[in-house]
Amino acid sequence: MTVYAYYRVSTDKQDYENQKSGVVRYCEYKNLTIDKEVTEENVSGKVEFKKRKLGKLIKELKEGDLLIVSELSRLSRSMIDTFEMVKVLKAKGVNVYCVKENMEINDS
């Protein structure tokens, strides 16, 4: 299993350090090591995930990998886009964990 962390900040007023600290705390609690971090700055969650670094990351993910985000809204601001993304991730057998919501999206 490879562990990926994804951070997205959409404005100059936001800072990815808050997102990162929550993800790091979760990984420490679960005794996980982050293998790769992807950060997008000044990118709106309204932009389709396929057109962002996130889309490239999703293509890279493999069955059994874990994608951790600080909260679900960091993936997308569009429910339709989020559902499409989850569908792609589930089909690949990738697990997703959202720290703020304490929610795991997986095959089960």
Side-chain angles (χ1 to χ4, degrees):
M1 168 179 70
T2 304
V3 177
Y4 296 83
Y6 174 75
Y7 316 108
R8 181 185 60 78
V9 293
S10 54
T11 68
D12 292 338
K13 296 175 186 169
Q14 294 177 332
D15 183 354
Y16 90 97
E17 288 298 328
N18 286 336
Q19 294 176 44
K20 183 174 180 172
S21 66
V23 169
V24 167
R25 277 194 309 275
Y26 172 75
C27 288
E28 288 171 351
Y29 175 73
K30 291 291 191 173
N31 200 28
L32 297 170
T33 300
I34 299 170
D35 298 301
K36 183 174 181 179
E37 295 179 311
V38 174
T39 303
E40 294 196 90
E41 296 186 54
N42 300 317
V43 176
S44 171
K46 292 179 181 179
V47 175
E48 185 181 358
F49 78 91
K50 293 175 184 175
K51 296 179 180 177
R52 298 187 270 138
K53 288 181 186 178
L54 180 58
K56 291 178 185 175
L57 173 60
I58 289 173
K59 285 182 181 178
E60 183 179 325
L61 296 170
K62 295 179 179 31
E63 184 174 358
D65 286 347
L66 175 62
L67 174 62
I68 305 173
V69 295
S70 63
E71 60 185 278
L72 190 60
S73 69
R74 297 299 86 202
L75 291 175
S76 179
R77 294 303 247 174
S78 160
M79 287 293 265
I80 292 170
D81 200 38
T82 301
F83 288 147
E84 181 181 345
M85 188 183 324
V86 168
K87 182 179 174 183
V88 169
L89 291 166
K90 279 188 67 168
K92 293 182 83 161
V94 173
N95 296 317
V96 180
Y97 185 77
C98 305
V99 175
K100 182 178 180 182
E101 292 86 0
N102 190 26
M103 176 176 67
E104 188 171 346
I105 303 168
N106 58 33
D107 224 7
S108 62

